[in-house]
Amino acid sequence: MSTWSSGYNTDLGYTFGFYREISPEWLDYVALTRSVTPPSEQWRYLELGCGQGYGLTLLAALNPDHDFLGIDFNPVHVTHARGLVRASGLSNIHFEEADFLETAKEWPAAWGQFDYLSAHGIYSWMSSDVCRAIVQTVDHAAAPGALFYVSYNALPAWVSSYPIQHLMRLWQTAESLESVKAIETGISRLQDITEAQAGMAKLLPGMKAMLEKVGSRDRAYLVQEYLHDNWHPRWFDQVVDELKPAKLNYVGTASLSDLYIASFMPDKFKSILNTYSDPIVREVIIDVLTNQSFRRDVFSRGATPLWPIQRRDALLQQRFALVNRPGNVEEVKFKTSIGELKGKSEIYTLFYEELGSGPKTAAELMSVKTSKALNLGDISQAISFMLSAGHITFFRPPHDRGPALALNKAIAIAVAEGAPYRFVIASRIGHVLTVSDVDLMFLAETFNNPNVAAVDLGSALTTRLLTLGRGLTQNGKPLTTQETLLPYAEELAQKFLHQTLPKWKELGVCA
């Protein structure tokens, strides 16, 4: 392992993800629910450990009037991110190669300070020295009143994974295994150990379930998760203490379905929780009761309180759009850390009907006539659950849709050339959509031929897939030759032209 990586596995680049919880509107909402004033309108955004830069670039295109900076120590990541920015022509985002150990000592004055800062995942995978450097960097870079998002593998749930991570990394380094090979080898060996009912497996019965989950995950993700020299899941109170030198105070969780989790716990859990009054200790006990595995925490540097009327007005002015109405509203369920919770059908049926006619403010939703008048707490809970489930989104379309459309075009063209991108911007509502690579390839083809027929579009997809050495799967059956691919490709093309493309135009994915 090279010394420049500080024990971080750089065999494979980081994944090309988008994490909605790091978006400014999401962080604002968490702050509002906890009576904390969000940053002012003239905000700037910094992502620490930005990886490939894909997610941050999507945010920059959604917010063309604001400055974005992504820093990462891996030059491969920075090179990719800069290339995506060039291809899309964005001018409000920059990427810099930087080591946290250096930025902790001296933060470049030219970079300035920021009102939103995020560090997704990396805090679990760094040495204690680097984590302290991250905190010092935040201390330099965060403006007064800034919101800081940090996510990390949490205890107690990861206790059963300590042997999995340690042994996988041990076998890799001892046998000089390539990273994906190390994952495959590790899974096989650990399965043998658990099936043999080894003493370790008996002591940690949760290890078998965790190993089954590992076996189903994408191998590139598993490399990032398990094959670093440093791997440190944390208790919530540890993170709170570690962030104190940057003058950061806990605001709330960005896992919106858990914002009100204490209210929905079984009585036996509530009786345990209610024996504790300290808010930090209560949060730890909630993690114990729910066996928390991953935390998405929001902190504030000098939180300015919102007075009750200010908070109420700010929450009620929030605007939302429907993006994915559940199939059976009367049986709608929401996933939380304590399991699924069933929503009250009377309330949610009316909410989805209202939102189905167009974007609505929280005030408009609260005015919906139900058997019992809704209060601010009711509406905040409902909105939090619907946001977390992906049923609704914040309605914040950019006033200039040009950058978003340009980025979507660059993304589609890159996917047609083999890039692994799976997200685009719905510019008319201000939302990031998860889409398929096939549909993006179709979209790229329409840029050259807007009136392309389905038969020609299917033929173009077939040729492109074969050129990339790829195929399709239909009803579980792999299609890898032109003869088998072409009929299904034409079927998919028909669906794209008559269903997906009109919807994308309506949402502002393309012009």
Side-chain angles (χ1 to χ4, degrees), residues 196-232:
Q197 295 187 331
M200 178 182 67
K202 289 182 179 180
L203 181 65
L204 296 171
M207 194 180 81
K208 182 177 181 181
M210 185 63 77
L211 186 60
E212 290 173 354
K213 185 183 295 185
V214 167
S216 66
R217 300 299 294 269
D218 175 75
R219 295 322 189 227
Y221 159 77
L222 293 175
V223 169
Q224 295 297 327
E225 183 61 77
Y226 286 98
L227 298 185
H228 304 302
D229 288 346
N230 295 286
W231 190 83
H232 308 290

Tab-separated table of all heavy atoms in Angstrom, residues 196-232:
chain	number	residue	atom	x	y	z
A	196	ALA	N	-18.874	-24.139	9.442
A	196	ALA	CA	-18.217	-25.075	10.350
A	196	ALA	C	-18.546	-24.778	11.800
A	196	ALA	O	-18.085	-25.489	12.701
A	196	ALA	CB	-16.704	-25.028	10.138
A	197	GLN	N	-19.349	-23.724	12.018
A	197	GLN	CA	-19.739	-23.299	13.367
A	197	GLN	C	-18.512	-23.062	14.240
A	197	GLN	O	-18.417	-23.542	15.380
A	197	GLN	CB	-20.674	-24.324	14.011
A	197	GLN	CG	-22.009	-24.439	13.290
A	197	GLN	CD	-22.994	-25.335	14.015
A	197	GLN	OE1	-22.620	-26.262	14.720
A	197	GLN	NE2	-24.273	-25.055	13.854
A	198	ALA	N	-17.554	-22.329	13.685
A	198	ALA	CA	-16.344	-21.973	14.426
A	198	ALA	C	-16.717	-21.173	15.665
A	198	ALA	O	-17.784	-20.550	15.738
A	198	ALA	CB	-15.413	-21.158	13.536
A	199	GLY	N	-15.828	-21.190	16.649
A	199	GLY	CA	-16.109	-20.499	17.899
A	199	GLY	C	-16.440	-19.037	17.708
A	199	GLY	O	-17.334	-18.495	18.368
A	200	MET	N	-15.742	-18.369	16.791
A	200	MET	CA	-16.010	-16.962	16.522
A	200	MET	C	-17.430	-16.768	16.010
A	200	MET	O	-18.131	-15.837	16.414
A	200	MET	CB	-15.010	-16.418	15.494
A	200	MET	CG	-15.222	-14.974	15.093
A	200	MET	SD	-14.034	-14.439	13.831
A	200	MET	CE	-14.535	-15.431	12.412
A	201	ALA	N	-17.859	-17.640	15.116
A	201	ALA	CA	-19.199	-17.528	14.546
A	201	ALA	C	-20.270	-17.765	15.612
A	201	ALA	O	-21.337	-17.140	15.582
A	201	ALA	CB	-19.363	-18.517	13.395
A	202	LYS	N	-19.990	-18.650	16.559
A	202	LYS	CA	-20.947	-18.886	17.641
A	202	LYS	C	-21.051	-17.667	18.551
A	202	LYS	O	-22.127	-17.324	19.034
A	202	LYS	CB	-20.525	-20.109	18.450
A	202	LYS	CG	-20.693	-21.438	17.721
A	202	LYS	CD	-20.283	-22.595	18.622
A	202	LYS	CE	-20.478	-23.933	17.916
A	202	LYS	NZ	-20.070	-25.075	18.785
A	203	LEU	N	-19.906	-17.040	18.807
A	203	LEU	CA	-19.888	-15.868	19.675
A	203	LEU	C	-20.586	-14.681	19.022
A	203	LEU	O	-21.202	-13.859	19.712
A	203	LEU	CB	-18.440	-15.499	20.014
A	203	LEU	CG	-18.237	-14.297	20.936
A	203	LEU	CD1	-18.806	-14.596	22.317
A	203	LEU	CD2	-16.752	-13.947	21.041
A	204	LEU	N	-20.507	-14.604	17.682
A	204	LEU	CA	-21.100	-13.493	16.934
A	204	LEU	C	-22.125	-14.051	15.940
A	204	LEU	O	-21.855	-14.140	14.734
A	204	LEU	CB	-20.016	-12.708	16.182
A	204	LEU	CG	-18.972	-11.996	17.049
A	204	LEU	CD1	-17.846	-11.456	16.188
A	204	LEU	CD2	-19.616	-10.870	17.847
A	205	PRO	N	-23.287	-14.437	16.410
A	205	PRO	CA	-24.279	-15.039	15.502
A	205	PRO	C	-24.719	-14.090	14.389
A	205	PRO	O	-25.169	-14.544	13.329
A	205	PRO	CB	-25.451	-15.381	16.429
A	205	PRO	CG	-25.255	-14.506	17.630
A	205	PRO	CD	-23.772	-14.366	17.793
A	206	GLY	N	-24.599	-12.793	14.618
A	206	GLY	CA	-24.978	-11.844	13.576
A	206	GLY	C	-24.024	-11.823	12.399
A	206	GLY	O	-24.340	-11.267	11.351
A	207	MET	N	-22.846	-12.445	12.546
A	207	MET	CA	-21.859	-12.436	11.478
A	207	MET	C	-22.361	-13.173	10.242
A	207	MET	O	-22.108	-12.761	9.110
A	207	MET	CB	-20.550	-13.053	11.958
A	207	MET	CG	-19.371	-12.788	11.030
A	207	MET	SD	-17.839	-13.527	11.610
A	207	MET	CE	-18.054	-15.220	11.073
A	208	LYS	N	-23.090	-14.269	10.454
A	208	LYS	CA	-23.595	-15.037	9.315
A	208	LYS	C	-24.558	-14.210	8.483
A	208	LYS	O	-24.466	-14.190	7.245
A	208	LYS	CB	-24.272	-16.310	9.797
A	208	LYS	CG	-24.793	-17.187	8.658
A	208	LYS	CD	-25.400	-18.484	9.170
A	208	LYS	CE	-25.892	-19.335	8.007
A	208	LYS	NZ	-26.509	-20.613	8.481
A	209	ALA	N	-25.481	-13.505	9.140
A	209	ALA	CA	-26.440	-12.667	8.419
A	209	ALA	C	-25.727	-11.534	7.699
A	209	ALA	O	-26.057	-11.199	6.552
A	209	ALA	CB	-27.477	-12.112	9.388
A	210	MET	N	-24.724	-10.954	8.363
A	210	MET	CA	-23.974	-9.876	7.722
A	210	MET	C	-23.207	-10.406	6.514
A	210	MET	O	-23.133	-9.759	5.470
A	210	MET	CB	-23.010	-9.250	8.722
A	210	MET	CG	-22.256	-8.035	8.185
A	210	MET	SD	-23.325	-6.644	7.757
A	210	MET	CE	-23.697	-5.996	9.386
A	211	LEU	N	-22.654	-11.598	6.626
A	211	LEU	CA	-21.913	-12.193	5.515
A	211	LEU	C	-22.837	-12.479	4.341
A	211	LEU	O	-22.454	-12.300	3.178
A	211	LEU	CB	-21.223	-13.470	5.981
A	211	LEU	CG	-20.287	-14.149	4.972
A	211	LEU	CD1	-19.168	-13.211	4.572
A	211	LEU	CD2	-19.708	-15.433	5.568
A	212	GLU	N	-24.064	-12.919	4.602
A	212	GLU	CA	-25.028	-13.146	3.528
A	212	GLU	C	-25.336	-11.840	2.806
A	212	GLU	O	-25.471	-11.803	1.585
A	212	GLU	CB	-26.301	-13.764	4.105
A	212	GLU	CG	-26.118	-15.198	4.577
A	212	GLU	CD	-27.340	-15.735	5.296
A	212	GLU	OE1	-28.290	-14.938	5.521
A	212	GLU	OE2	-27.359	-16.943	5.622
A	213	LYS	N	-25.443	-10.769	3.560
A	213	LYS	CA	-25.683	-9.461	2.957
A	213	LYS	C	-24.494	-9.033	2.109
A	213	LYS	O	-24.641	-8.493	1.011
A	213	LYS	CB	-25.959	-8.420	4.049
A	213	LYS	CG	-26.338	-7.055	3.535
A	213	LYS	CD	-26.522	-6.059	4.668
A	213	LYS	CE	-27.679	-6.440	5.556
A	213	LYS	NZ	-27.937	-5.406	6.600
A	214	VAL	N	-23.288	-9.284	2.613
A	214	VAL	CA	-22.069	-8.933	1.878
A	214	VAL	C	-22.036	-9.649	0.535
A	214	VAL	O	-21.700	-9.069	-0.502
A	214	VAL	CB	-20.822	-9.296	2.712
A	214	VAL	CG1	-19.559	-9.244	1.843
A	214	VAL	CG2	-20.687	-8.344	3.894
A	215	GLY	N	-22.394	-10.934	0.544
A	215	GLY	CA	-22.323	-11.720	-0.686
A	215	GLY	C	-23.210	-11.215	-1.799
A	215	GLY	O	-22.944	-11.472	-2.987
A	216	SER	N	-24.254	-10.454	-1.455
A	216	SER	CA	-25.189	-9.962	-2.472
A	216	SER	C	-24.840	-8.563	-2.983
A	216	SER	O	-25.498	-8.076	-3.899
A	216	SER	CB	-26.613	-9.949	-1.907
A	216	SER	OG	-26.717	-8.995	-0.843
A	217	ARG	N	-23.830	-7.933	-2.397
A	217	ARG	CA	-23.522	-6.549	-2.744
A	217	ARG	C	-22.578	-6.461	-3.934
A	217	ARG	O	-21.810	-7.384	-4.249
A	217	ARG	CB	-22.902	-5.811	-1.554
A	217	ARG	CG	-23.764	-5.730	-0.318
A	217	ARG	CD	-25.049	-4.990	-0.556
A	217	ARG	NE	-24.856	-3.585	-0.845
A	217	ARG	CZ	-24.832	-2.612	0.062
A	217	ARG	NH1	-24.989	-2.914	1.349
A	217	ARG	NH2	-24.684	-1.353	-0.297
A	218	ASP	N	-22.601	-5.287	-4.595
A	218	ASP	CA	-21.709	-5.006	-5.707
A	218	ASP	C	-20.257	-5.096	-5.243
A	218	ASP	O	-19.887	-4.553	-4.196
A	218	ASP	CB	-22.006	-3.591	-6.248
A	218	ASP	CG	-21.036	-3.175	-7.327
A	218	ASP	OD1	-21.156	-3.674	-8.454
A	218	ASP	OD2	-20.146	-2.346	-7.029
A	219	ARG	N	-19.418	-5.771	-6.034
A	219	ARG	CA	-18.029	-6.014	-5.616
A	219	ARG	C	-17.221	-4.720	-5.515
A	219	ARG	O	-16.355	-4.592	-4.634
A	219	ARG	CB	-17.341	-6.990	-6.560
A	219	ARG	CG	-17.900	-8.425	-6.578
A	219	ARG	CD	-18.309	-8.910	-5.217
A	219	ARG	NE	-18.646	-10.323	-5.172
A	219	ARG	CZ	-19.712	-10.820	-4.602
A	219	ARG	NH1	-20.616	-10.009	-4.055
A	219	ARG	NH2	-19.918	-12.117	-4.530
A	220	ALA	N	-17.474	-3.753	-6.383
A	220	ALA	CA	-16.742	-2.484	-6.307
A	220	ALA	C	-17.050	-1.772	-4.997
A	220	ALA	O	-16.160	-1.178	-4.367
A	220	ALA	CB	-17.098	-1.599	-7.499
A	221	TYR	N	-18.318	-1.833	-4.574
A	221	TYR	CA	-18.675	-1.245	-3.285
A	221	TYR	C	-17.958	-1.971	-2.153
A	221	TYR	O	-17.448	-1.347	-1.215
A	221	TYR	CB	-20.192	-1.310	-3.065
A	221	TYR	CG	-20.569	-1.205	-1.607
A	221	TYR	CD1	-20.556	0.029	-0.957
A	221	TYR	CD2	-20.886	-2.348	-0.865
A	221	TYR	CE1	-20.867	0.119	0.398
A	221	TYR	CE2	-21.201	-2.260	0.482
A	221	TYR	CZ	-21.186	-1.025	1.104
A	221	TYR	OH	-21.473	-0.932	2.436
A	222	LEU	N	-17.908	-3.294	-2.194
A	222	LEU	CA	-17.300	-4.063	-1.115
A	222	LEU	C	-15.816	-3.773	-0.982
A	222	LEU	O	-15.270	-3.765	0.132
A	222	LEU	CB	-17.529	-5.558	-1.349
A	222	LEU	CG	-18.985	-6.026	-1.257
A	222	LEU	CD1	-19.098	-7.496	-1.627
A	222	LEU	CD2	-19.558	-5.777	0.126
A	223	VAL	N	-15.147	-3.530	-2.104
A	223	VAL	CA	-13.733	-3.137	-2.044
A	223	VAL	C	-13.591	-1.855	-1.234
A	223	VAL	O	-12.722	-1.730	-0.359
A	223	VAL	CB	-13.156	-2.963	-3.460
A	223	VAL	CG1	-11.778	-2.290	-3.404
A	223	VAL	CG2	-13.052	-4.309	-4.169
A	224	GLN	N	-14.469	-0.883	-1.525
A	224	GLN	CA	-14.413	0.391	-0.808
A	224	GLN	C	-14.778	0.209	0.665
A	224	GLN	O	-14.231	0.898	1.534
A	224	GLN	CB	-15.371	1.392	-1.459
A	224	GLN	CG	-15.002	1.779	-2.880
A	224	GLN	CD	-13.667	2.497	-2.962
A	224	GLN	OE1	-13.289	3.232	-2.061
A	224	GLN	NE2	-12.962	2.294	-4.050
A	225	GLU	N	-15.652	-0.693	0.950
A	225	GLU	CA	-16.127	-0.847	2.323
A	225	GLU	C	-15.160	-1.600	3.214
A	225	GLU	O	-14.947	-1.232	4.384
A	225	GLU	CB	-17.482	-1.568	2.321
A	225	GLU	CG	-18.107	-1.724	3.693
A	225	GLU	CD	-18.394	-0.386	4.347
A	225	GLU	OE1	-19.393	0.251	3.966
A	225	GLU	OE2	-17.608	0.020	5.225
A	226	TYR	N	-14.533	-2.655	2.685
A	226	TYR	CA	-13.830	-3.578	3.560
A	226	TYR	C	-12.309	-3.608	3.421
A	226	TYR	O	-11.632	-4.115	4.323
A	226	TYR	CB	-14.351	-5.001	3.327
A	226	TYR	CG	-15.718	-5.221	3.907
A	226	TYR	CD1	-16.858	-5.133	3.116
A	226	TYR	CD2	-15.893	-5.507	5.259
A	226	TYR	CE1	-18.123	-5.331	3.649
A	226	TYR	CE2	-17.160	-5.708	5.803
A	226	TYR	CZ	-18.265	-5.619	4.988
A	226	TYR	OH	-19.518	-5.801	5.522
A	227	LEU	N	-11.761	-3.102	2.333
A	227	LEU	CA	-10.338	-3.357	2.090
A	227	LEU	C	-9.440	-2.151	2.322
A	227	LEU	O	-8.528	-1.865	1.549
A	227	LEU	CB	-10.151	-3.907	0.662
A	227	LEU	CG	-10.835	-5.246	0.385
A	227	LEU	CD1	-10.501	-5.753	-1.002
A	227	LEU	CD2	-10.461	-6.296	1.438
A	228	HIS	N	-9.681	-1.431	3.395
A	228	HIS	CA	-8.785	-0.359	3.809
A	228	HIS	C	-8.006	-0.799	5.041
A	228	HIS	O	-8.471	-1.646	5.823
A	228	HIS	CB	-9.575	0.911	4.143
A	228	HIS	CG	-10.446	1.400	3.024
A	228	HIS	ND1	-9.946	1.714	1.775
A	228	HIS	CD2	-11.776	1.622	2.955
A	228	HIS	CE1	-10.940	2.117	0.997
A	228	HIS	NE2	-12.059	2.058	1.687
A	229	ASP	N	-6.831	-0.219	5.235
A	229	ASP	CA	-6.062	-0.526	6.444
A	229	ASP	C	-6.794	-0.039	7.686
A	229	ASP	O	-6.709	-0.640	8.758
A	229	ASP	CB	-4.680	0.136	6.386
A	229	ASP	CG	-3.763	-0.541	5.381
A	229	ASP	OD1	-4.086	-1.654	4.932
A	229	ASP	OD2	-2.724	0.050	5.046
A	230	ASN	N	-7.482	1.080	7.519
A	230	ASN	CA	-8.216	1.660	8.639
A	230	ASN	C	-9.708	1.463	8.421
A	230	ASN	O	-10.234	1.821	7.365
A	230	ASN	CB	-7.895	3.148	8.759
A	230	ASN	CG	-6.457	3.391	9.119
A	230	ASN	OD1	-6.034	3.175	10.258
A	230	ASN	ND2	-5.658	3.830	8.146
A	231	TRP	N	-10.361	0.928	9.413
A	231	TRP	CA	-11.792	0.620	9.322
A	231	TRP	C	-12.366	0.756	10.719
A	231	TRP	O	-12.162	-0.100	11.569
A	231	TRP	CB	-11.971	-0.791	8.779
A	231	TRP	CG	-13.368	-1.170	8.405
A	231	TRP	CD1	-14.001	-0.894	7.221
A	231	TRP	CD2	-14.300	-1.912	9.198
A	231	TRP	NE1	-15.275	-1.428	7.235
A	231	TRP	CE2	-15.480	-2.056	8.438
A	231	TRP	CE3	-14.259	-2.470	10.467
A	231	TRP	CZ2	-16.596	-2.731	8.908
A	231	TRP	CZ3	-15.380	-3.150	10.943
A	231	TRP	CH2	-16.530	-3.272	10.164
A	232	HIS	N	-13.029	1.863	10.977
A	232	HIS	CA	-13.395	2.189	12.350
A	232	HIS	C	-14.856	2.639	12.464
A	232	HIS	O	-15.143	3.834	12.446
A	232	HIS	CB	-12.481	3.296	12.878
A	232	HIS	CG	-11.020	3.015	12.715
A	232	HIS	ND1	-10.371	2.050	13.435
A	232	HIS	CD2	-10.085	3.574	11.887
A	232	HIS	CE1	-9.098	2.014	13.081
A	232	HIS	NE2	-8.899	2.926	12.142
